[in-house]
Amino acid sequence: MHLKPTLIALALLTGSAQAADVPPAIRALHERLLVLDSHLDTPMQLARPGWDISQRHRYADDLSQVDLPRMREGGLDGGFFAVFTPQGPRTPEGRTLASEHGLAVITRIRDMVAARPDELALATRADEVPGIVASGRRVVLISMENAEPLAADPGRLATYQRLGLRMLGLVHAQNNSFADSATALPEWHGLSPAGRELVGEANRLGILIDVSHASDAVFDQVLALSRAPVIASHSGARAIGPHPRNLDDARLRRLAEKGGVVQVNSFPSDLVPRAPNPERDKVLAPLYREFRLAASLSPEQVADLARRIREADARYPLPPTRLDDFMAHLLHILDVVGPQHVGIGADWDGGGGVEGLRDVSDLPRISQRLLAAGYSEQDLAAIWGGNLLRVLAVAEANATSK
């Protein structure tokens, strides 16, 4: 997730149908693979009255990109559903609100799974995932984006671990109590003392540490401190797009050398630099604020909000961002670190998506492009899920307390 709700800023103007242009043989290969995404912001949708993940939705109607029908169409077997908490004031009141928010979101995720036992299953170990997929269900893993729910009581990480948390993203778009953000001025010059302790506690509990959104200094310090491999759950290549959220080639190599994996993001402004557009920002800012309150809106109000966002985007258009732009990042990172250290974390429902890759039903197009670039089915198996499960399993194995 990026600067939510930037809403793809806004490349996604219509709903998406299944990627019908993918040849049957490639689609069949894609279906054989274990396909996981490491960053799904779909829990944001779960708070909306009447929104049902079992029903097929359209982005044009309700701004969503992930549901069970579209997961089946795109061959997405599951992934990490994020407990995202917007960064609020770092006051006692703000920390309390963040704590309550985080627990509410993880409860919502667990309730989603419990309500659909024939369609979904919660995985708390890497080795549980293949069996869940073989049973015909979709896999739900749980991550946290922004550790602010832990600021009031970092010891609560053990509670989240017992509830199923297996990946911890330390920070989001602003600095917090634990770490500096890639998109804010340095405060801690990396990790705070509490952040250093949190890295150790995550290692102890077998929780994979996520450095997406973290500053370069945080990346360097986490890599030095962590006893387990590290993941960037939704990041890009700074050599292709110079956004500070992206990773330079030297850091990509160091991540791989320590056994980690970078999951490639599809957030348009991370992929391609964009010139400032103050008039557009002025019009869209109140709509973004309204979207933050979408959980309190009726389906009709959400549809109206989607319409107004489309109209504003048409009035102040951005240069298009396409599947080619996403693939430029993916192929560059593959070239730098190889297919054993790369995956997909497209930031669905959190701002990800480009023309040609509008929602999860379009995922077979990535397989098509990778095969065309010369990667094998074995490579694709690693990229789509094998690498993610490997680093998760190593983090589990390195834990000193379950």
Side-chain angles (χ1 to χ4, degrees):
M1 177 165 31
H2 198 72
L3 298 177
K4 294 182 177 68
T6 311
L7 299 177
I8 311 172
L10 236 345
L12 302 180
L13 301 181
T14 63
S16 173
Q18 188 174 0
D21 55 333
V22 177
I26 294 177
R27 183 171 293 281
L29 182 153
H30 182 83
E31 290 291 339
R32 289 197 298 271
L33 302 173
L34 174 60
V35 176
L36 302 173
D37 188 289
S38 56
H39 192 78
L40 303 171
D41 275 311
T42 309
M44 293 177 66
Q45 311 292 349
L46 300 178
R48 297 182 179 179
W51 196 90
D52 185 353
I53 197 170
S54 298
Q55 302 300 311
R56 195 185 197 287
H57 301 262
R58 293 195 322 142
Y59 181 87
D61 297 333
D62 66 5
L63 310 174
S64 72
Q65 295 171 288
V66 180
D67 52 45
L68 285 167
R70 284 182 286 181
M71 291 174 77
R72 288 189 285 269
E73 291 167 12
L76 179 61
D77 293 306
F80 275 92
F81 286 68
V83 177
F84 167 66
T85 302
Q87 184 60 47
R90 283 156 52 188
T91 62
E93 294 81 4
R95 288 191 291 271
T96 297
L97 288 173
S99 177
E100 292 172 350
H101 177 85
L103 290 172
V105 176
I106 197 169
T107 300
R108 210 172 286 139
I109 296 169
R110 291 175 59 89
D111 287 348
M112 174 190 73
V113 175
R116 299 163 186 85
D118 296 333
E119 298 177 289
L120 297 168
L122 179 67
T124 59
R125 293 185 55 85
D127 60 11
E128 294 173 349
V129 172
I132 292 171
V133 174
S135 74
R137 295 173 293 171
R138 305 288 148 173
V139 178
V140 175
L141 296 140
I142 301 177
S143 62
M144 179 179 287
E145 182 177 35
N146 188 12
E148 192 63 16
L150 306 173
D153 179 10
R156 190 164 284 178
L157 183 63
T159 300
Y160 277 94
Q161 195 269 354
R162 289 194 294 273
L163 292 171
L165 186 75
R166 292 299 180 269
M167 186 195 301
L168 176 63
L170 296 173
V171 68
H172 187 240
Q174 301 175 46
N175 301 339
N176 65 13
S177 302
F178 302 104
D180 289 339
S181 170
T183 48
L185 293 174
E187 175 183 351
W188 305 107
H189 299 282
L191 294 165
S192 71
R196 291 175 175 272
E197 292 183 7
L198 192 64
V199 168
E201 182 67 359
N203 281 166
R204 186 183 74 81
L205 293 169
I207 296 172
L208 191 59
I209 300 170
D210 177 12
V211 292
S212 285
H213 283 289
S215 71
D216 287 348
V218 171
F219 178 100
D220 296 342
Q221 292 167 21
V222 168
L223 217 61
L225 285 170
S226 178
R227 294 185 288 103
V230 172
I231 190 171
S233 71
H234 55 305
S235 294
R238 200 173 294 173
I240 304 299
H243 197 285
R245 278 264 291 108
N246 294 334
L247 299 175
D248 59 50
D249 287 359
R251 287 184 171 85
L252 289 170
R253 292 189 184 98
R254 286 167 49 210
L255 185 73
E257 287 166 2
K258 191 157 182 178
V261 61
V262 56
Q263 307 281 122
V264 182
N265 186 19
S266 70
F267 197 93
S269 62
D270 293 355
L271 300 179
V272 178
R274 287 177 169 168
N277 189 334
E279 289 190 10
R280 173 188 168 88
D281 294 343
K282 181 179 179 180
V283 171
L284 284 169
L287 299 179
Y288 297 159
R289 288 194 294 270
E290 191 172 343
F291 179 74
R292 292 174 72 103
L293 304 175
S296 64
L297 303 179
S298 69
E300 293 77 18
Q301 290 171 316
V302 171
D304 179 67
L305 175 59
R307 176 190 59 77
R308 287 183 283 132
I309 288 173
R310 289 197 304 274
E311 290 175 353
D313 190 68
R315 194 158 63 250
Y316 301 97
L318 291 170
T321 311
R322 300 184 173 92
L323 179 57
D324 287 346
D325 299 308
F326 168 79
M327 290 304 303
H329 283 257
L330 177 57
L331 293 173
H332 177 82
I333 295 172
L334 284 164
D335 185 58
V336 172
V337 299
Q340 298 305 309
H341 298 282
V342 181
I344 308 295
D347 208 352
W348 298 120
D349 284 333
V354 295
E355 289 185 13
L357 191 65
R358 297 205 181 276
D359 63 29
V360 295
S361 70
D362 286 330
L363 293 180
R365 289 185 174 137
I366 300 176
S367 290
Q368 182 180 21
R369 294 294 192 95
L370 288 171
L371 291 166
Y375 289 95
S376 67
E377 181 173 348
Q378 182 178 3
D379 294 332
L380 267 65
I383 293 164
W384 273 121
N387 297 334
L388 180 60
L389 292 185
R390 183 189 73 245
V391 294
L392 181 61
V394 175
E396 294 169 3
N398 284 349
T400 57
S401 176
K402 300 297 182 184

